[in-house]
Amino acid sequence: MKITSLLSKVQARDNYLVIDFSTGEQSRFHWIWLRDNCLCQKCHHPQTLERVVDTWSLDTQIVSEDYKIADSGTNLQLTWPDGHLSEYSSVWLRSHSYDTERVSDGLPDPTPWSVNSLKSRPSISAQSVLGSDQGTMTFIRQLREFGFSIVTDLSPDEGMVEELAKRIGFLRETHFGVDFTVESKPDPNNVAYTAIELKAHTDLPNLEMPPGIQFLHCLQFDAEGGESILVDGFAVAEQLKKENPTAFDNLTRIPVLYRFLDKEWDLRWHSPAIRLDHNGQLEEIRYHTALTGALDTSFDDMEALYNGLRAFTEILRRPEYELKFKLMPGEVMVFQNRRVLHGRAAFDPQSGPRKLRGCYVDCDQAWSKFRVLQGLNKL
Ligand code: OGA
Ligand code: ZN
Ligand code: ZN
């Protein structure tokens, strides 16, 4: 049974209101925050749902003149000095409480994994993702929790992976095109387009915003070698933080120069290899030795940067973190590019073809899709 939190008690303080919920939790809400987040139609446009209250003309010292619990604990009613009325449901207040806990973004939390902790590869059939909202939701949940999913039984033809990707976002065009073919090419502008080993990396760290989700669909695989690798960069970063907190801190602080260079492009961006989000949680890994430029951080930080990247790399390459498998024709490996690193073993192009088709989308659209399918797109 789902426990709904009712309001059991409210107490006014100078700057805030203290609310006791029937579930035993207690949360403080600032008066200014409550007034600013009034949900009435004068404060939020009824059609666009955008804020129309002008936050910056509210009295910074505002305090409600009257506050009461209504409707058997399901609502809080406030009256402001100018007579404006605000009402908030207990459920809304509970889910927006910012007192001691993180406010949920409506998504499952990431579950960092190593080869042993992962019971099996998260996987789902293409038919399920393409043909049902439930399947699409499960697919996005796997991507969010584990940072990857193996989609099976997608007919190994060009154009199919794009259809799959469009279920969860807009195709993200890059200097490799809207989509791209990964095979050993005579005139490669990227190590992926050769037959050599690709050590675990994240794609396109040289962009301001590297794509969030990458799709690689196996169309043909008769070559010897070429096994895929996936490594959870969040698990590696957590392990680094435990073993070598200084290296971890340095990697969240010191920018790395990433650079892609060919006849038409010179794309450069600086970013720390590990970035944390507004809650201090891991948000992004950028790591690609082949695309690391001539490092240009300050003299004083240069050794710390090398040491940090070396320590990260040492954990990254431990067998316990390297999930290895052969991607079969018809399978698609889909992963959060800014979390799960990918790579492949060298292959022998003389022994047979190996051909993948790839494209990217961004996480924000996929996460939005998940929330909409859950019915969370309400104020
Ligand atoms: C890529 C890549 C891996 C592979 O195209 O970005 O890393 O298995 N390919 O060929
Ligand atoms: Zn209002
Ligand atoms: Zn890659």
Side-chain angles (χ1 to χ4, degrees), residues 201 203 214 342:
H201 62 278
D203 267 18
Q214 179 163 358
H342 65 286

Side-chain angles (χ1 to χ4, degrees), residues 180 182 192 198 201 203 214 216 228 342-344 354 356 360:
F180 50 88
V182 184
L198 288 179
H201 62 278
D203 267 18
Q214 179 163 358
L216 284 173
S228 300
H342 65 286
R344 64 141 197 257
R354 180 184 189 274
L356 311 181
Y360 306 104

Side-chain angles (χ1 to χ4, degrees), residues 17 33 67 86-87 104 160 167 193 222 237 289 368:
L17 183 71
W33 186 93
Y67 52 94
S86 299
E87 189 167 271
S104 166
M160 293 306 291
R167 281 293 285 178
Y193 302 161
D222 284 316
T289 305
S368 162

Side-chain angles (χ1 to χ4, degrees), residues 111-122 146 148 230 323:
T111 306
W113 52 265
S114 62
V115 174
N116 285 338
S117 72
L118 203 63
K119 286 174 205 77
S120 60
R121 292 184 306 170
F146 303 104
F148 80 104
L230 290 175
L323 183 70

Side-chain angles (χ1 to χ4, degrees), residues 175-176 189-193 196-207 210-211 214 256-260 269 271-274 285-295 309 312-313 316-317 335 337 340-344 360:
H175 47 293
F176 295 118
N189 66 345
N190 171 353
V191 275
Y193 302 161
I196 65 176
E197 180 192 18
L198 288 179
K199 293 207 184 290
H201 62 278
T202 63
D203 267 18
L204 308 176
N206 54 290
L207 298 185
Q214 179 163 358
V256 180
L257 169 64
Y258 291 108
R259 182 175 187 200
F260 174 86
W269 206 261
S271 169
I274 301 174
I285 307 293
R286 291 198 197 209
Y287 179 95
H288 198 330
T289 305
L291 293 182
T292 303
L295 293 174
L309 288 170
F312 183 85
T313 305
L316 180 67
R317 295 187 184 170
F335 46 94
N337 177 50
V340 169
L341 296 87
H342 65 286
R344 64 141 197 257
Y360 306 104

Side-chain angles (χ1 to χ4, degrees), residues 311-326:
F312 183 85
T313 305
E314 190 271 308
I315 299 173
L316 180 67
R317 295 187 184 170
R318 288 181 194 165
E320 64 204 86
Y321 291 107
E322 287 186 321
L323 183 70
K324 290 189 177 163
F325 55 93
K326 193 158 179 167

